[in-house]
Amino acid sequence: MAAVTSPALAQARRLVVKVGSALLVGPEGLRGEWLRGLCDDVADWRARGCDVVLVSSGSIALGRRVLGLPPGTLPLEQAQAAAAVGQIRLARAYEEALAPHGVTTAQVLLTLEDSADRRRYLNSRATMQTLLALGVVPIVNENDTVATDEIRFGDNDRLAAQIAVTCGADQLLLLSDVDGLYTSNPKTDPAAQHLPLIEAITPEIEAMGGDPVSGLSKGGMKTKLMAARTAVAGGCAMAIAEGSVLRPLSAVAQGARTSWFLPEADPQLARKRWIAAMKPKGTVSIDAGAVQALGRGKSLLPAGVVAVEGSFGRGDPVAIAGPQGQRLATGLIRYTAVEARLIAGHQSAQIETILGYPGRAALVHRDDMAL
């Protein structure tokens, strides 16, 4: 049996990088030289054909300096105010660091509700997919300006894992102030052993999580393990690496000490399995031409639909049936049942005229369909 090896960061097709506050913001403020080094790496990875998403902490840490707020835990209102001031500075810093490489950036602010609510999840997923298709590097952060404890992820480790699964990333890299997972806290236990490769997240592995060690970051090893569980279940390999060097992605690619968590499946396969396991809320029947198109890996367009049954909302699972009623696939539909009936049999270019507002060309996109 061949030995199990760690994934190669240089071979990532879609990479999500989480940047911790302690790396980005130092005692004197934003670490501009480090940020430029990170963005040099991002540009290199994009030049290789890799899509890159940055999930960046730092808005509250930046904003509190501008507002002169004291160190330590802030009251919710002050934390939200600091985020509002710091977020614009954070976005501008990334924009200025990536602009010399000809890379366009976008700011994406999310809350927990954006992943819990199906419609908002689909909206955010479609936005991320479109940005990446256009060659943009999204800069993602939790919307701390409006998020309360009830509607927040709580840390950007778990947010990054959710983003990785949402956009179908094959690798997630958590840049932090630690260089991976140890059998115990290496700061207090000299006998702690570094674990370079974790094939499965067992109860023993989970018991190795510790508490935050940085005054700026909110997450500790426990949250990183929670992020790993989300990522690997979605088919995404995840690494934890110490990121303070000027070219952190290059350092990991060249063999810097890292802990890799292996994925349970390919990200697209994991998503297809998830969709296939859903209970359909309706049925969309299609003609022979649409059956052939699906067989070639195409999306389902309204023109190929001959009947719509059931009551469902946008983003709900529906069965896709062939001319003889045979079930061909399960997919997440992009229209409500009422809308689907109205546009069934029509060309995508006619959708706006029929509905009175612009719509998506596909009724069910191929990425949201399990044959």
Side-chain angles (χ1 to χ4, degrees):
M1 180 180 297
V4 178
T5 59
S6 299
L9 192 71
Q11 296 177 3
R13 301 184 304 275
R14 178 163 291 177
L15 173 66
V16 175
V17 181
K18 182 263 181 176
V19 179
S21 295
L23 296 174
L24 191 63
V25 184
E28 303 303 320
L30 185 73
R31 297 179 60 208
E33 185 180 7
W34 181 88
L35 177 60
R36 288 188 291 274
L38 169 66
C39 290
D40 289 344
D41 272 346
V42 170
D44 285 351
W45 257 251
R46 287 193 69 258
R48 300 173 186 175
C50 177
D51 295 329
V52 181
V53 178
L54 295 173
V55 178
S56 180
S57 304
S59 61
I60 293 178
L62 286 173
R64 74 192 302 160
R65 290 181 56 84
V66 176
L67 297 176
L69 298 175
T73 303
L74 295 174
L76 177 61
E77 294 80 4
Q78 290 188 4
Q80 290 175 328
V85 171
Q87 191 62 52
I88 191 170
R89 287 164 171 77
L90 184 66
R92 184 187 303 123
Y94 277 107
E95 181 181 35
E96 292 176 349
L98 283 167
H101 300 283
V103 176
T104 301
T105 57
Q107 183 183 61
V108 180
L109 300 177
L110 300 171
T111 67
L112 182 61
E113 286 184 337
D114 294 315
S115 63
D117 179 85
R118 184 179 294 278
R119 175 168 294 191
R120 291 167 67 170
Y121 165 80
L122 289 171
N123 282 334
S124 60
R125 182 173 184 270
T127 299
M128 293 290 291
Q129 296 284 14
T130 303
L131 288 171
L132 292 172
L134 292 172
V136 176
V137 173
I139 312 298
V140 184
N141 198 357
E142 182 152 23
N143 195 353
D144 290 307
T145 304
V146 299
T148 62
D149 288 340
E150 291 77 16
I151 62 169
R152 58 183 296 115
F153 285 90
D155 65 86
N156 275 353
D157 292 328
R158 283 180 288 179
L159 173 60
Q162 184 64 53
I163 291 297
V165 174
T166 297
C167 69
D170 57 310
Q171 294 189 24
L172 165 63
L173 174 62
L174 303 185
L175 294 178
S176 184
D177 50 5
V178 294
D179 59 4
L181 177 65
Y182 287 76
T183 53
S184 58
N185 190 341
K187 294 182 179 295
T188 58
D189 182 4
Q193 296 182 352
H194 180 266
L195 302 177
L197 185 65
I198 298 91
E199 297 184 45
I201 303 175
T202 63
E204 292 75 18
I205 292 294
E206 290 183 327
M208 296 174 187
D211 296 320
V213 296
S214 168
L216 287 175
S217 60
K218 291 178 287 189
M221 192 55 66
K222 287 183 179 179
T223 67
K224 289 174 175 56
L225 290 175
M226 294 173 69
R229 182 172 290 280
T230 297
V232 300
C236 179
M238 192 192 93
I240 302 172
E242 201 283 324
S244 63
V245 296
L246 292 183
R247 297 290 295 266
L249 303 192
S250 296
V252 171
Q254 293 165 10
R257 176 174 280 190
T258 308
S259 289
W260 278 100
F261 295 79
L262 297 184
E264 296 178 3
D266 176 85
Q268 288 301 320
L269 177 60
R271 177 173 174 78
K272 301 286 187 179
R273 287 175 177 172
W274 171 65
I275 293 172
M278 292 181 169
K279 181 180 179 180
K281 294 188 177 182
T283 300
V284 174
S285 298
I286 62 176
D287 60 25
V291 173
Q292 294 178 357
L294 296 191
R296 297 194 301 270
K298 302 295 185 180
S299 298
L300 175 59
L301 304 180
V305 176
V306 296
V308 177
E309 301 175 11
S311 177
F312 48 82
R314 179 172 175 251
D316 283 339
V318 297
I320 301 174
Q324 283 75 48
Q326 73 276 29
R327 184 166 169 179
L328 304 172
T330 302
L332 304 182
I333 196 160
R334 294 186 164 194
Y335 291 91
T336 66
V338 173
E339 293 169 330
R341 290 188 182 96
L342 289 173
I343 63 176
H346 294 277
Q347 299 296 320
S348 298
Q350 299 175 287
I351 292 176
E352 183 172 1
T353 301
I354 296 170
L355 299 182
Y357 47 85
R360 303 186 190 280
L363 197 71
V364 179
H365 194 275
R366 61 184 181 183
D367 291 344
D368 297 329
M369 189 187 310
L371 299 176

